[in-house]
Amino acid sequence: MFKVRKARVLLILSLVMGSLQSQAATLRDWEPTYQDSTKIVYETTSADGIVVRPGEILPMPVPLEYQKRIIDFVGLTHKQKPSDFVDDGAGRNLNAGYTSFEILASDNAAGDLKGDDWRVWGGRGSGPLGLSKYAESRNHEGETDNLYEWAIKGHRSIINGPGKISLSPLRPAAFRIRSVGTGNIIVTKVIVKFRPQKITSTEDHIFSKGLVFGNSETSRGRVYPNDPYNGDYGSAVILNLTSRDANKHIPPEVTWVPAQQGQRGQIIVNTDPDSNKHLAFVDVACGDMNPVPQGADPEKLRGDGKLFVSIETERGSYEDIMTNENIGSNGVMRALVPRELIPGKIKRVIISGKGKAPISVMGVRLGYN
């Protein structure tokens, strides 16, 4: 019985992939609109975005200088027109759009990768084969899905579907977006961040006892305190609280400014005064899950938090290095510092956030090179 069912599943998956490939049409290349030493950005000039129909492929060339860099994070902003939503009577979309962001491993790929293999993020997906992200129906700005922490989540081949996850460093020869649902998708922005290079030292500021960041490149050894997947972050700093009462575990070298009317709460960390070091990244261990009572559904208690990271230089200027980025239920968010764009020596890092649910920050790591 099991073999018969398994054969049917494989046949169905094969038919889905075959159908998508048979429909495939390639759109004009989507060229990068911005790049610096930390990231590449592809962005449309209007909310109308780029329409990708079922089975179509949107190619995204990768500049040569990034093809030997290692993928660290991808932010995908996409949506579907509300007029394309077809209700099945139970609130589900019969005309669902699914976006698959795919990376062609470069010829210098390491480990178990091949140079002709398209890869997708190894985290939780949906749609055909579980490899994509659902495009929500929206009139204006699209939803941003974060494909984060590739060192831990890894990546997998589109050929094998939900098969083996690889943790090999992934260097891109090309990107592409495929529409793998039954409805059109609209893509407006993609941000691809790369792993910082030649990190020589890190400096940890722990707010929640038990947090261990782990290796700065591979994240091996990472330990979270308490039960963050159910909204228990230990003695974390609640970033968007208006009272200091719940934030008594702040190290003396860190300043916490409570949220006030019209202003976000802030965590302020001084950088290392050693002039020979350059700030390369800011890691923020955080989550925005509401506490989950026993027996409750965690999916219904996820927050809507957004994180901001800025820096203050010796010239008194502030530069946003992370803006309005979605906070997950639990994880480490990395803000990369494009050193060539920062005027003067960095003196302080300012972390802030907004959202209705508590934004719990377990710790901050500064990385230098």
Side-chain angles (χ1 to χ4, degrees):
M1 185 68 174
F2 173 75
K3 290 183 178 179
V4 172
R5 287 181 179 173
K6 185 176 181 181
R8 281 181 184 167
V9 171
L10 292 174
L11 175 60
I12 290 170
L13 294 181
S14 176
L15 290 173
V16 169
M17 294 303 294
S19 173
L20 289 173
Q21 290 170 357
S22 66
Q23 298 177 55
T26 302
L27 305 178
R28 187 175 63 182
D29 285 359
W30 189 15
E31 299 285 348
T33 54
Y34 173 83
Q35 60 191 63
D36 59 38
S37 61
T38 67
K39 63 182 176 292
I40 310 174
V41 179
Y42 303 77
E43 187 169 14
T44 60
T45 55
S46 74
D48 293 337
I50 300 173
V51 178
V52 189
R53 296 174 176 81
E56 288 186 336
I57 293 173
L58 175 61
M60 303 167 63
V62 176
L64 187 62
E65 60 268 33
Y66 296 91
Q67 293 185 15
K68 293 184 179 181
R69 300 284 298 277
I70 299 171
I71 298 293
D72 192 60
F73 171 93
V74 176
L76 169 66
T77 304
H78 61 147
K79 63 181 181 179
Q80 186 182 57
K81 285 185 178 180
S83 58
D84 287 341
F85 187 95
V86 179
D87 198 321
D88 68 350
R92 293 184 294 267
N93 188 3
L94 290 173
N95 197 34
Y98 289 96
T99 306
S100 179
F101 179 81
E102 301 170 358
I103 301 175
L104 179 64
S106 66
D107 290 337
N108 64 344
D112 53 354
L113 305 187
K114 298 178 181 179
D116 60 351
D117 193 2
W118 288 94
R119 314 291 297 184
V120 294
W121 183 56
R124 186 172 65 172
S126 56
L129 306 182
L131 303 178
S132 55
K133 289 293 183 180
Y134 177 67
E136 291 190 358
S137 295
R138 299 203 175 184
N139 278 316
H140 302 292
E141 183 180 356
E143 178 193 18
T144 298
D145 279 309
N146 290 341
L147 316 180
Y148 54 91
E149 293 199 276
W150 288 64
I152 290 179
K153 301 295 183 181
H155 47 87
R156 52 193 178 184
S157 170
I158 65 169
I159 299 172
N160 298 324
K164 181 181 178 182
I165 291 179
S166 169
L167 296 179
S168 295
L170 181 56
R171 299 172 174 85
F175 305 131
R176 72 182 185 188
I177 284 173
R178 278 195 309 150
S179 176
V180 297
T182 55
N184 296 344
I185 60 172
I186 298 172
V187 185
T188 57
K189 187 176 183 179
V190 172
I191 300 176
V192 181
K193 299 180 185 180
F194 296 90
R195 185 182 294 179
Q197 298 175 301
K198 300 177 181 178
I199 298 302
T200 55
S201 64
T202 57
E203 177 185 306
D204 294 351
H205 304 273
I206 305 299
F207 311 145
S208 190
K209 185 178 180 181
L211 172 69
V212 179
F213 277 98
N215 184 277
S216 63
E217 289 190 357
T218 65
S219 301
R220 291 190 183 96
R222 171 82 53 79
V223 177
Y224 292 109
N226 291 43
D227 188 10
Y229 293 100
N230 284 304
D232 181 358
Y233 303 96
S235 57
V237 172
I238 310 300
L239 189 54
N240 48 346
L241 273 188
T242 57
S243 168
R244 292 182 181 275
D245 292 343
N247 291 303
K248 298 178 179 178
H249 298 275
I250 301 173
E253 70 275 11
V254 176
T255 302
W256 177 65
V257 180
Q260 299 178 12
Q261 186 69 31
Q263 295 183 332
R264 301 190 297 266
Q266 295 182 338
I267 292 172
I268 302 172
V269 184
N270 293 326
T271 62
D272 192 317
D274 186 344
S275 60
N276 295 322
K277 293 182 178 181
H278 301 277
L279 184 65
F281 69 82
V282 180
D283 278 354
V284 183
C286 59
D288 65 354
M289 176 81 77
N290 286 285
V292 181
Q294 188 172 2
D297 182 2
E299 292 293 330
K300 296 181 179 180
L301 292 165
R302 297 186 186 279
D304 60 348
K306 307 286 186 180
L307 196 71
F308 300 77
V309 180
S310 299
I311 55 178
E312 181 183 0
T313 73
E314 59 188 354
R315 300 182 186 180
S317 61
Y318 290 84
E319 300 287 340
D320 284 327
I321 57 174
M322 178 183 285
T323 303
N324 209 39
E325 196 162 291
N326 288 345
I327 297 174
S329 299
N330 180 52
V332 173
M333 301 178 68
R334 172 167 287 176
L336 299 170
V337 182
R339 194 171 68 212
E340 74 278 10
L341 303 180
I342 306 302
K345 176 177 169 55
I346 297 170
K347 296 175 62 178
R348 302 195 303 171
V349 173
I350 300 97
I351 299 161
S352 61
K354 66 178 183 180
K356 295 179 181 178
I359 298 173
S360 301
V361 178
M362 296 170 278
V364 176
R365 165 177 277 181
L366 305 184
Y368 297 92
N369 59 13

